[in-house]
Amino acid sequence: MSSPPVARAARWAVRRWVLAPAVVLLAVLMWVTLPLWLLAGAALSPLLPGRWRALRLLWVFVVYLTMQGVLLPVLLGLWLASGCGRAVRRPYWEGIHYDLVQGVMWVFFREARRVLHLTIATDGPDPAAHPGRPLLVACRHAGVGDSFVLVHALMHWYRREPRVVLKDTLAWDPVIGVLLTRIPARFISPEPGAGEQLEDQIAALAGDLDDDDAFVIFPEGGNFTSARRQRGIDRLRALGLERMAERAEALTHVLAPRPGGFIAALDAAPEADVLLVAHTGLDHLDSVGDVWRELPMDKRIVMRWWDVPRSEIPAGREERIEWLYDWWGRVDDWIAEHRPEELPVPARRRPWRPRRDG
């Protein structure tokens, strides 16, 4: 069952009136004390694993928090300019917010790639392979990082306006929580017995895709962990789906897909082609501790895209479930064969010295 309206209103008030101002103040405080943080990061880096890991992670955090501190006042200004939110969902204002997301993503990823020394390679169909057709994008879920990279790829390489289905816990990020209520998106809370309600929400979001839209869904419903994988297998067995449980046991790098939401999107967008996406290198970034331990540095990350024309997708529900499991097995095999590649550490430049003739 969904959360009571009073609880939803209380969470909204805390996010808007407590958390968002606190983040802006934290960004200001961070810049006031930044020299101290940089000195501490530089002092700790030689004592910790990795090449200047503490200092590099600190700078990525500085960039991210600065973006939050700047964007929240900008979003407040847009809310006021749109008539205190009365017109904020109209196409003109949605376009402004999409442009804002695209610009922010470009700045953040440019800086993150530079500081972390990352190369992100894409393997798959050309972005121009689907002219004038909406897309349904089903992605392997392995942490918050994959959501950011996928949206960035769709906006900058595919020139698409993404519509994303996300877990409601991400709404606690102040900027994400504000932005995704002003463009087509859904925060969902997977609760027992709420399957049909969630499918209805997903269908509503996918129901009127334009030719430059991309509907993004993560069929696994959560990030991969061994415990979550086993719970998914046990759930299938408890439902009497022994064959699906056996297929889920064969998947070692991904969770068994939950087909309900994906099939609802297929039914709601009959003209859309499908892209399936896998990647390596952004796994298990769920908490601050995960970011510290797992955030890739000095690596080459690969994103693999598979293009599936609509004509190749079965029409029946059971056939679609089999089709999705077949593809998830292919994604699992690809992940097993492609791990992040270590990049050579950039050589230090020799200090310049004046040339002495003679």
Side-chain angles (χ1 to χ4, degrees), residues 11-234:
R11 289 197 295 268
W12 181 90
V14 170
R15 290 196 293 258
R16 294 295 189 272
W17 302 113
V18 178
L19 187 58
V23 167
V24 175
L25 292 176
L26 181 61
V28 173
L29 179 63
M30 178 198 65
W31 276 100
V32 171
T33 60
L34 184 60
L36 298 177
W37 288 104
L38 292 176
L39 287 173
L44 287 173
S45 287
L47 306 177
L48 298 171
R51 186 173 62 91
W52 296 101
R53 187 174 185 85
L55 197 58
R56 294 159 78 185
L57 283 176
L58 172 63
W59 184 248
V60 172
F61 175 74
V62 167
V63 173
Y64 184 75
L65 188 59
T66 301
M67 289 167 45
Q68 294 264 346
V70 172
L71 281 173
L72 287 169
V74 169
L75 291 169
L76 176 59
L78 291 174
W79 181 79
L80 294 171
S82 64
C84 294
R86 286 191 293 271
V88 76
R89 294 303 300 270
R90 293 178 182 174
Y92 172 78
W93 294 102
E94 282 188 2
I96 289 177
H97 284 82
Y98 270 121
D99 291 342
L100 187 62
V101 173
Q102 187 171 8
V104 168
M105 287 285 193
W106 184 85
V107 172
F108 180 73
F109 274 94
R110 182 176 182 272
E111 191 64 11
R113 284 198 303 265
R114 183 186 69 84
V115 173
L116 301 179
H117 188 216
L118 297 176
T119 298
I120 301 178
T122 57
D123 181 14
D126 187 89
H130 305 270
R133 295 182 66 87
L135 295 175
L136 295 180
V137 183
C139 183
R140 174 237 182 160
H141 205 346
V144 178
D146 61 357
S147 305
F148 280 101
V149 173
L150 179 60
V151 170
H152 174 70
L154 288 171
M155 298 190 79
H156 285 270
W157 300 330
Y158 278 76
R159 302 298 178 187
R160 297 283 176 154
E161 294 183 347
R163 301 186 181 191
V164 189
V165 177
L166 296 171
K167 294 183 71 172
D168 60 353
T169 52
L170 288 174
W172 287 96
D173 180 288
V175 167
I176 293 176
V178 173
L179 268 173
L180 295 192
T181 59
R182 300 184 185 180
I183 60 177
R186 284 289 188 280
F187 291 110
I188 62 173
S189 176
E191 298 175 357
E196 291 185 5
Q197 182 181 1
L198 295 180
E199 290 178 17
D200 290 342
Q201 294 181 46
I202 291 171
L205 184 61
D208 58 346
L209 298 179
D210 295 331
D211 56 4
D212 64 345
D213 285 335
F215 180 88
V216 179
I217 190 169
F218 300 90
E220 293 161 286
N223 303 324
F224 179 90
T225 66
S226 298
R228 190 171 286 162
R229 172 180 175 271
Q230 187 59 50
R231 285 198 300 270
I233 295 170
D234 295 340

Side-chain angles (χ1 to χ4, degrees), residues 252-272:
T252 56
H253 300 283
V254 295
L255 301 178
R258 299 187 175 191
F262 181 72
I263 292 176
L266 283 174
D267 291 337
E271 300 298 322

